[in-house]
Amino acid sequence: MLSRTAANLYWLARYMERAENLARMLDVAERTSLMPGGALADGVSDSDYNEWHSVLTASGNATGFFASHDEPTREQVIHYLALDKSNPSSIRSCIETARNNARAVRTALTADLWESLNQTWLDLIATKREEFRRGELQTFLDWVKERTLLFSGGATSTLLRGEGYRFLRLGTFVERADSSARILDVKYHILLPDDQHVGGAVDYYQWTALLRSFSASRSFYHSYRSALTAGNIAEFMILSQEMPRSLTACLAETHGLLEHLADLHGRHLECHRLAGQLYSKLRYARIDDIFEQGLHEFLTGFIAQNTRVSDEIAVAYLS
Amino acid sequence: MGASPYQPINGCFDEMVGRDGAVRDAYQAVDRWLVETDPALLEQRRREAEVLFMRIGITFAVYGEGGDPERIIPFDIVPRVIDATEWERLARGLEQRVKALNLFLCDIYADREILRAGVIDEALVLRNPAYLPEMNGFRPSGGVFTHIAGIDMVRVGDDEFYVLEDNARTPSGVSYMLEDREMMMRLFPDLMAAHDIAPVEHYPSELLGTLRSVAPKTSDRDPTVVVLTPGIYNSAYYEHTYLADRMGVELVEGQDLFVEENRVYMRTTRGPERVDVIYKRIDDPFIDPLVFNPNSALGVPGLMTALRAGNVTLANAPGAGVADDKSVYVHVPDMIKFYLGEESILKNVPTYRCGEADDYKYVMDNLGELVVKEVRGSGGYGMLVGPHSTKTEQEEYAERIMATPDEFIAQPTLALSTSPTFVDSGVAPRHVDLRPFVLTGANGVSIVPGGLTRVALREGSLVVNSSQGGGTKDTWVLVPPTGGKEAASC
């Protein structure tokens, strides 16, 4: 397979995953900002400010936003993250970039997959909307999630299980690991264990919101059958093998896909070593040790290592 | 003229209704269908086609007009039908013509016999911008310069087809021929079943066979074929992806290829892989920055050296453009006679070259009746259609001709045939042309029956180019009644 084709598939999947994660984050922010006194416990008087600012940080958009805006108001942040053409990481730009990547490698996609992506883009540019009132945002975010799920479903059920499929899935899991870690890092303060203290109302809201952003509020109860505690939630989102958005689950996929490529091509490279190392670190970690090391330090370390894996994938295959 | 409300244009040959007012044999079923089908249903089908084309992304780019850069070419739901006898004669003429073009190209880059015999003026060829001195002495694999040729034809009478223009460089439009057929099968299966239509679906495999047949003989491996595209911003990008996909070969850009020790490789996830045949959809000046345009980012440095070393085949070969130049076009019948000793089966449109004193005078005196074109122009840009122009436009154009007469040719305004077309006002006659695609490999010529029919959708317009508001139609070549279905069903 052409290196450029592999690169396009990899980035196509990363951008679709990014669009989906942005939709999830905005969804949670919208809900949290509606909760009564949601942010008072943090000692921040303006709850909107707190929530919308943290979405900017979690999605890595804070610097870009503040270069052209003063206040992270609900309207401004939503516009910047959902629709702004000048922001290369907005949902709109992500879908457009994904579709352009797909167009450049149409022959590596099935007709079903290409047509669904193209339709997503056509629908998107047909929406001339510039803002969302309360209530309207939800419809848009649901649409984004539906279209991105259709993409991953279409990829899983129609693509030939060749190299192209592996590069596409690699993009998905490298992006998802990065995004999951960033969401956790922005919220790490609410996950710090306070002995065996079961959270009050405010903690409960925050934790539920966090689980929601991973589409994991129900699966948490299925897995733990116990009350929400900070330690359990952190363990679930970082170390669970079963939760498809946990850091460990993402790395298991990345590692497996890379091993498959190594067998196919008969070469083991730096990206394989790094991914294997990172995966085994997570696979055999205990949540108590992570807390002892410092959750924030652990997460920033993870983000850096995951980025190195991505860089080495580029060196090995994509250029 | 029967129940059909369809009214041909006076003085124009109509594909469906003959001069005597009777529906021509090939169109009997289409005529019935047009009469019996509810126009609302036709309109619904037309819209369906539009949505499908847009969703599949069968689009082309229009340069410099603002608005949505990706548009679909309008698709007309009424097919254009050619009967078996008409096609058989056309096909013979096309094969003869393309054979002569290839012999001409091999000759002028080698011994130049046709120039030495004085059949064609030397300056016309050697000073032509499409003539590439870099190709002198080059012997292409299989003796083929133009592997894929698109010959633009128009019809003015029952048995009168004219060649309007040869495209020997990178003719496009074949994907529309194939997609239009797909669309008709989807929209009107019953109408298709009422005809015996020669299939076109095998074009990609014929193309692949042609390309493989001209792989360099230096290699005994199974040849690797690729399609070289300028990228997603090219107006024909969809076609490039389509052909690569249907042939099952890689679609590459210049950056994916590199040359080492005069061999061409592509960058893959497994490392470099050798390339033997390149179906190039990039114009000659951009293919190799070391030899031609040094600023080209589309090409591959060293590609020309690899070609000259015989390690790779380019289709079409660089320099093929000199055969389709509008000033060389005049001489194609002479080539046919010179190389093949035959009379040209297909007719040329009488052409006046403004560089010649007599012709110049005639053109300037008759601008109102002629079509004047730039010798190097294409895509229907920069031409003057005399009968449809204003006095001011004619005067302005005359000044341009006066400044550089060599740059212009003129032809009489042909009464292009019309074909029933579904437009806002119902089914009405619109002018059409036809571009069949002629493949030439090491084992000879093959032509898929049919081609691309382009239709000028504006009432009275003679310009069929997609960049000028033209649309396309599916083109049906009927198979001879003796073969086909009846025999098979016994």
Side-chain angles (χ1 to χ4, degrees):
Chain A
M1 162 169 284
L2 285 178
S3 300
R4 182 174 52 85
T5 306
N8 272 314
L9 290 169
Y10 177 79
W11 282 102
L12 155 62
R14 284 200 69 161
Y15 277 107
M16 286 305 279
E17 181 68 22
R18 194 170 292 179
E20 180 182 338
N21 288 321
L22 272 169
R24 289 172 184 284
M25 287 184 224
L26 285 171
D27 183 15
V28 170
E30 177 88 338
R31 277 167 192 278
T32 313
S33 71
L34 290 177
M35 285 170 189
L40 289 176
D42 292 336
V44 179
S45 56
D46 183 350
S47 69
D48 269 346
Y49 179 91
N50 186 41
E51 225 22 71
W52 298 110
H53 195 164
S54 77
V55 180
L56 288 172
T57 313
S59 61
N61 275 294
T63 317
F65 180 86
F66 289 109
S68 52
H69 302 73
D70 297 327
E71 288 287 301
T73 62
R74 175 185 178 276
E75 284 66 32
Q76 301 259 20
V77 172
I78 290 176
H79 180 264
Y80 188 74
L81 292 184
L83 304 169
D84 197 337
K85 285 185 221 171
S86 70
N87 172 15
S89 296
S90 68
I91 290 177
R92 186 198 164 99
S93 300
C94 284
I95 290 179
E96 185 151 277
T97 312
R99 186 263 181 182
N100 280 343
N101 272 311
R103 188 161 180 254
V105 291
R106 279 181 73 143
T107 54
L109 302 173
T110 55
D112 289 335
L113 196 53
W114 157 254
E115 286 176 25
S116 97
L117 262 172
N118 196 37
Q119 191 61 50
T120 303
W121 176 74
L122 289 169
D123 292 348
L124 183 75
I125 59 171
T127 351
K128 300 289 182 202
R129 178 176 289 290
E130 280 303 317
E131 57 168 24
F132 296 103
R133 280 182 303 230
R134 289 204 190 270
E136 294 174 339
L137 180 64
Q138 199 58 49
T139 316
F140 175 74
L141 298 177
D142 285 347
W143 176 81
V144 174
K145 281 189 271 179
E146 183 191 302
R147 299 306 299 189
T148 50
L149 286 174
L150 187 62
F151 167 76
S152 38
T156 315
S157 57
T158 69
L159 270 187
L160 200 65
R161 291 303 189 266
E163 272 184 278
Y165 177 76
R166 315 287 160 185
F167 284 111
L168 194 84
R169 300 301 282 172
L170 262 182
T172 301
F173 291 108
V174 168
E175 180 70 26
R176 185 178 294 174
D178 182 73
S179 165
S180 291
R182 282 175 198 278
I183 294 176
L184 290 173
D185 194 32
V186 168
K187 296 285 183 190
Y188 83 93
H189 53 92
I190 62 161
L191 290 174
L192 294 180
D194 185 4
D195 297 325
Q196 283 308 305
H197 158 75
V198 176
V202 171
D203 281 341
Y204 182 82
Y205 282 137
Q206 294 268 9
W207 289 339
T208 320
L210 192 56
L211 285 168
R212 264 192 97 80
S213 71
F214 279 54
S215 283
S217 49
R218 285 202 211 155
S219 37
F220 175 84
Y221 291 109
H222 279 284
S223 301
Y224 281 80
R225 300 184 187 285
S226 69
L228 291 173
T229 67
N232 285 348
I233 295 173
E235 185 181 55
F236 188 53
M237 292 181 156
I238 296 172
L239 298 180
S240 167
Q241 305 260 5
E242 288 141 20
M243 215 282 280
R245 312 191 81 81
S246 80
L247 305 189
T248 305
C250 291
L251 256 294
E253 295 282 355
T254 302
H255 173 67
L257 289 160
L258 282 172
E259 283 304 308
H260 183 93
L261 288 170
D263 292 345
L264 196 66
H265 297 155
R267 351 176 248 166
H268 265 91
L269 302 158
E270 181 63 6
C271 59
H272 301 97
R273 191 186 69 78
L274 284 174
Q277 190 181 47
L278 188 53
Y279 174 55
S280 43
K281 229 159 92 181
L282 288 164
R283 175 83 178 72
Y284 302 107
R286 290 187 316 177
I287 196 68
D288 296 344
D289 297 339
I290 291 175
F291 280 128
E292 203 160 301
Q293 179 199 341
L295 182 56
H296 174 63
E297 290 69 20
F298 169 81
L299 290 169
T300 25
F302 173 85
I303 293 169
Q305 283 163 300
N306 189 57
T307 305
R308 276 193 68 202
V309 171
S310 177
D311 292 346
E312 287 299 329
I313 290 173
V315 170
Y317 298 113
L318 311 181
S319 49
Chain B
M1 53 165 283
S4 172
Y6 177 74
Q7 197 64 48
I9 301 171
N10 252 338
C12 275
F13 178 80
D14 188 80
E15 303 278 343
M16 181 162 88
V17 180
R19 294 205 195 279
D20 55 0
V23 174
R24 300 174 63 242
D25 285 348
Y27 271 89
Q28 291 293 342
V30 170
D31 177 61
R32 268 200 306 281
W33 171 70
L34 286 175
V35 173
E36 286 164 10
T37 313
D38 180 0
L41 180 70
L42 294 181
E43 175 58 22
Q44 187 194 330
R45 291 280 190 269
R46 192 190 62 78
R47 279 171 202 273
E48 262 173 52
E50 208 164 88
V51 170
L52 285 169
F53 274 124
M54 204 64 199
R55 180 189 317 151
I56 303 171
I58 309 178
T59 55
F60 74 110
V62 178
Y63 302 113
E65 284 183 19
D68 191 347
E70 284 176 37
R71 301 185 195 167
I72 54 171
I73 295 187
F75 167 71
D76 180 54
I77 53 174
V78 187
R80 192 255 188 93
V81 191
I82 298 174
D83 76 33
T85 333
E86 283 167 0
W87 175 257
E88 191 271 333
R89 195 170 146 273
L90 272 182
R92 270 191 299 125
L94 291 165
E95 175 166 358
Q96 178 197 52
R97 191 166 179 105
V98 173
K99 265 186 188 164
L101 292 177
N102 271 309
L103 288 166
F104 169 73
L105 286 163
C106 286
D107 183 25
I108 60 156
Y109 287 113
D111 306 329
R112 299 181 183 163
E113 283 175 17
I114 198 164
L115 305 184
R116 284 194 278 130
V119 176
I120 297 179
D121 181 27
E122 204 175 85
L124 197 64
V125 174
L126 303 184
R127 293 216 202 110
N128 194 303
Y131 170 82
L132 299 180
E134 293 81 2
M135 294 298 286
N136 269 334
F138 178 72
R139 304 291 306 162
S141 172
V144 187
F145 260 85
T146 181
H147 310 80
I148 302 101
I151 310 294
D152 290 352
M153 322 261 319
V154 295
R155 181 177 208 179
V156 299
D158 235 332
D159 231 358
E160 280 181 279
F161 283 91
Y162 284 101
V163 174
L164 208 53
E165 173 171 311
D166 304 292
N167 297 278
R169 304 168 206 211
T170 47
S172 61
V174 78
S175 58
Y176 292 97
M177 170 179 91
L178 299 166
E179 290 286 11
D180 287 357
R181 178 63 53 88
E182 287 285 327
M183 195 58 73
M184 288 305 279
M185 288 188 192
R186 217 154 152 168
L187 299 179
F188 304 112
D190 293 345
L191 179 65
M192 294 200 66
H195 294 80
D196 277 329
I197 305 163
V200 293
E201 290 77 5
H202 54 297
Y203 177 84
S205 94
E206 291 280 320
L207 175 60
L208 183 59
T210 300
L211 295 169
R212 290 170 60 101
S213 78
V214 291
K217 295 286 168 275
T218 49
S219 126
D220 48 6
R221 292 166 299 110
D222 196 32
T224 301
V225 176
V226 299
V227 177
L228 175 59
T229 174
I232 65 167
Y233 297 107
N234 185 270
S235 59
Y237 179 70
Y238 171 72
E239 178 156 306
H240 307 160
T241 63
Y242 182 93
L243 290 173
D245 192 27
R246 297 301 158 102
M247 290 193 288
V249 306
E250 291 287 358
L251 177 67
V252 304
E253 295 180 15
Q255 51 171 326
D256 298 321
L257 300 180
F258 66 94
V259 176
E260 207 172 270
E261 293 180 343
N262 293 339
R263 292 184 168 86
V264 183
Y265 298 89
M266 59 180 163
R267 297 174 218 276
T268 78
T269 52
R270 291 168 187 270
E273 188 182 325
R274 181 86 186 271
V275 171
D276 303 290
V277 183
I278 300 175
Y279 177 21
K280 89 180 162 61
R281 298 291 301 248
I282 294 182
D283 293 340
D284 290 352
F286 300 100
I287 58 170
D288 184 348
L290 300 183
V291 180
F292 304 113
N293 184 345
N295 300 319
S296 169
L298 304 176
V300 186
L303 188 57
M304 281 299 282
T305 322
L307 174 73
R308 301 276 331 209
N311 290 331
V312 69
T313 298
L314 297 187
N316 295 345
V322 68
D324 71 15
D325 185 88
K326 291 190 181 73
S327 62
V328 172
Y329 156 87
V330 184
H331 297 290
V332 176
D334 305 329
M335 292 176 199
I336 293 173
K337 189 170 275 177
F338 184 80
Y339 296 115
L340 303 173
E342 298 168 8
E343 289 301 321
S344 178
I345 298 170
L346 304 175
K347 282 190 258 188
N348 261 23
V349 182
T351 302
Y352 306 98
R353 289 163 42 200
C354 300
E356 312 263 312
D358 291 354
D359 287 7
Y360 176 79
K361 186 169 180 326
Y362 179 82
V363 170
M364 288 308 225
D365 290 346
N366 294 283
L367 274 182
E369 274 99 67
L370 298 169
V371 176
V372 193
K373 299 178 188 172
E374 294 171 2
V375 173
R376 329 257 171 256
S378 70
Y381 290 104
M383 57 192 259
L384 177 82
V385 181
H388 295 175
S389 62
T390 64
K391 265 274 170 281
T392 328
E393 282 168 346
Q394 290 173 25
E395 279 158 20
E396 281 168 13
Y397 211 90
E399 277 174 36
R400 295 180 54 203
I401 303 176
M402 226 179 290
T404 50
D406 284 344
E407 300 290 309
F408 294 89
I409 54 136
Q411 293 168 338
T413 315
L414 296 177
L416 260 59
S417 65
T418 54
S419 170
T421 301
F422 188 64
V423 293
D424 289 342
S425 59
V427 180
R430 290 291 183 267
H431 296 290
V432 294
D433 79 347
L434 174 67
R435 175 181 287 181
F437 295 89
V438 183
L439 298 175
T440 311
N443 311 315
V445 172
S446 80
I447 309 172
V448 170
L452 173 66
T453 292
R454 296 184 297 180
V455 52
L457 293 171
R458 257 185 306 126
E459 188 169 3
S461 169
L462 294 169
V463 185
V464 296
N465 302 77
S466 54
S467 50
Q468 311 280 308
T472 69
K473 280 170 173 293
D474 191 11
T475 310
W476 294 357
V477 171
L478 302 182
V479 297
T482 46
K485 283 185 185 170
E486 264 134 9
S489 65
C490 295

